[in-house]
Amino acid sequence: MFRGVIFSGDILQGRPCARRRIPPWDGVRCLEVRPAVPTRVLVYDPRFLEHVSSPLHVERPERLRAIVDRLKAERLFSEVAKPAPASISDVERVHRKTYIEYFRTLTEGFLDPETAVHPETFDIALLAAGATLQAARTAIREGRPVIALVRPPGHHAGPDYGGGFCYLNNVAAAAAEQVAEGRRVAILDYDAHHGNGTSEIFSDEASVLYISTHQYGIYPGTGPAADVGKGDGRGFTVNIPFTAGCGDSSYFIAYDTLIEPILREFRPEAILMSLGIDAHYRDPLTSLALSSPGYVELVARSAAAASSLCNGRLVVALEGGYHLDAVAEVVAGIAARFQGRSLEFRLKDVLDDKGRGRGAIEATMAVHRTFWNLR
Ligand SMILES: [Zn+2]
């Protein structure tokens, strides 16, 4: 389905090896000149508040309103860019024409029982995709992190389906545009749910590294360690299937021993993050246990990797996260960290300081030692 630049496979000693398929690093792109003028760090549009899937739906406008209110209270709601909608051709890079047309003309209906479509839904979903595309263009042009404050989320939307509160895959569309321009892109999906849509869209692509940490066994049921992608994409899908209770220490171990080493070997030219905040211990939908400072530290480590690997080209795009104080505190903490400030956190209980997720991390490492240099 996905049509971008596809890097041809190499053969190392007669044996296909994912690592050998990575083309030489185009270091020139990472030396682009930074503009001297202040640049945007947030992309947001109040139209995102107009999307209401159904009354009392957990993916509700208050999520984004809480984030914006907290950013304003912390004087972090500055440098805000208004997005343009994605074009149909932008989303056709990751979705089939038939699906887009079905969604566009549905007007009233359901993509699944919890993903309702109304007359305004298609345009707002295009705007969310457009905001994420714009964030990626800015991050890549200017070499700095950009946060896309969007809804509806996108990572459950696949080539020919929506669902799980998702309609169009925002991060996948942004990644596909960059790959079409010849760049190698890493997607870090920290949402508590496996990003089945993103994973499927890029499953056979060597030019997109997809790494997901998620609670395994809950919706959508996909994302075992053994799913490594297919065809030319084998090795470029990395699933870390945590169990209930995994929190700060498990995520840090996963980041340090698995995520960053693979990132360094893959050498992305941009990093796109699907930031779901539903792995927070206060989240009502899942049983993962990240604290607010833990989330901010995880994102900060990822941003440091973006700084050293690809000139700071990082996009943070909002996915899920359903506890209002938690999502607001985490996003504000990230925005503050990007500006060299710190925030006073209220939701800072560390419920996992023993590395409960070591088993899942080891299972993933065992599978991926075939493809990557992991200890
Ligand atoms: Zn989620």
Side-chain angles (χ1 to χ4, degrees):
M1 182 56 219
F2 169 73
R3 292 181 189 85
V5 172
I6 300 171
F7 300 113
S8 59
D10 273 355
I11 300 295
L12 176 66
Q13 295 174 339
R15 187 166 60 91
C17 173
R19 284 186 285 120
R20 303 296 296 175
R21 289 203 300 275
I22 301 171
W25 189 18
D26 179 2
V28 175
R29 286 203 185 89
C30 285
L31 294 174
E32 287 168 2
V33 178
R34 288 166 184 252
V37 295
T39 48
R40 312 282 188 184
V41 295
L42 296 169
V43 184
Y44 170 74
D45 194 299
R47 280 208 70 201
F48 297 140
L49 304 176
E50 296 171 17
H51 168 59
V52 181
S53 182
S54 57
L56 307 179
H57 196 291
V58 70
E59 202 291 281
R60 58 202 199 275
E62 286 76 10
R63 300 175 57 238
L64 214 41
R65 202 171 279 134
I67 290 170
V68 170
D69 287 350
R70 183 69 189 266
L71 288 169
K72 286 178 177 172
E74 302 288 348
R75 301 184 182 209
L76 290 162
F77 198 69
S78 57
E79 300 189 65
V80 182
K82 270 188 99 163
S87 67
I88 297 295
S89 58
D90 287 332
V91 292
E92 278 182 354
R93 286 201 183 93
V94 295
H95 297 294
R96 294 204 174 98
K97 282 179 196 282
T98 47
Y99 168 68
I100 296 167
E101 194 57 14
Y102 171 75
F103 174 30
R104 188 182 73 79
T105 57
L106 183 57
T107 309
E108 279 291 347
F110 291 87
L111 301 184
D112 76 9
E114 298 197 349
T115 312
V117 174
H118 307 296
E120 71 282 6
T121 312
F122 183 76
D123 285 345
I124 300 176
L126 270 186
L127 193 60
T132 311
L133 282 154
Q134 185 169 318
R137 292 168 190 151
T138 303
I140 283 156
R141 187 177 63 245
E142 300 177 359
R144 59 184 296 177
V146 180
I147 302 172
L149 295 175
V150 297
R151 58 183 294 277
H155 73 152
H156 295 306
D160 56 359
Y161 55 87
F165 321 156
C166 300
Y167 304 83
L168 299 173
N169 197 316
N170 309 318
V171 166
E177 178 179 79
Q178 294 307 320
V179 173
E181 292 182 6
R183 297 190 179 92
R184 197 166 50 249
V185 176
I187 298 174
L188 303 180
D189 189 333
Y190 293 141
D191 192 280
H193 301 93
H194 180 241
N196 57 316
T198 312
S199 179
E200 184 173 348
I201 287 165
F202 297 118
S203 62
D204 59 358
E205 290 299 322
S207 44
V208 176
L209 170 67
Y210 177 73
I211 302 180
S212 175
T213 52
H214 48 271
Q215 184 178 347
Y216 188 53
I218 63 172
Y219 181 90
T222 48
D227 178 2
V228 298
K230 61 187 182 186
D232 287 345
R234 278 180 58 76
F236 296 96
T237 294
V238 181
N239 288 311
I240 304 168
F242 283 141
T243 50
C246 290
D248 293 23
S249 59
S250 297
Y251 278 82
F252 298 155
I253 294 168
Y255 184 84
D256 292 343
T257 63
L258 197 50
I259 298 172
E260 184 167 315
I262 291 176
L263 277 178
R264 290 198 174 282
E265 204 173 333
F266 179 72
R267 295 167 304 161
E269 291 164 288
I271 296 177
L272 275 58
M273 185 184 298
S274 271
L275 182 70
I277 306 168
D278 43 8
H280 197 285
Y281 69 83
R282 292 297 298 273
D283 193 87
L285 262 57
T286 82
S287 304
L288 293 173
L290 268 172
S291 68
S292 296
Y295 253 114
V296 174
E297 176 61 25
L298 180 66
V299 174
R301 289 188 194 191
S302 308
S307 287
S308 68
L309 294 172
C310 48
N311 199 31
R313 296 161 158 183
L314 174 68
V315 175
V316 176
L318 187 65
E319 298 279 1
Y322 307 99
H323 187 277
L324 298 185
D325 291 344
V327 296
E329 181 166 272
V330 168
V331 173
I334 291 166
R337 189 78 165 252
F338 286 169
Q339 296 188 16
R341 292 171 46 190
S342 59
L343 209 69
E344 193 66 38
F345 294 109
R346 289 196 308 112
L347 306 175
K348 55 188 178 187
D349 298 351
V350 175
L351 304 181
D352 172 21
D353 60 357
K354 300 273 192 308
R356 283 170 185 257
R358 283 182 198 279
I361 294 164
E362 186 46 53
T364 305
M365 290 182 82
V367 168
H368 277 278
R369 283 194 184 95
T370 307
F371 306 105
W372 308 96
N373 281 322
L374 299 170
R375 281 182 291 152

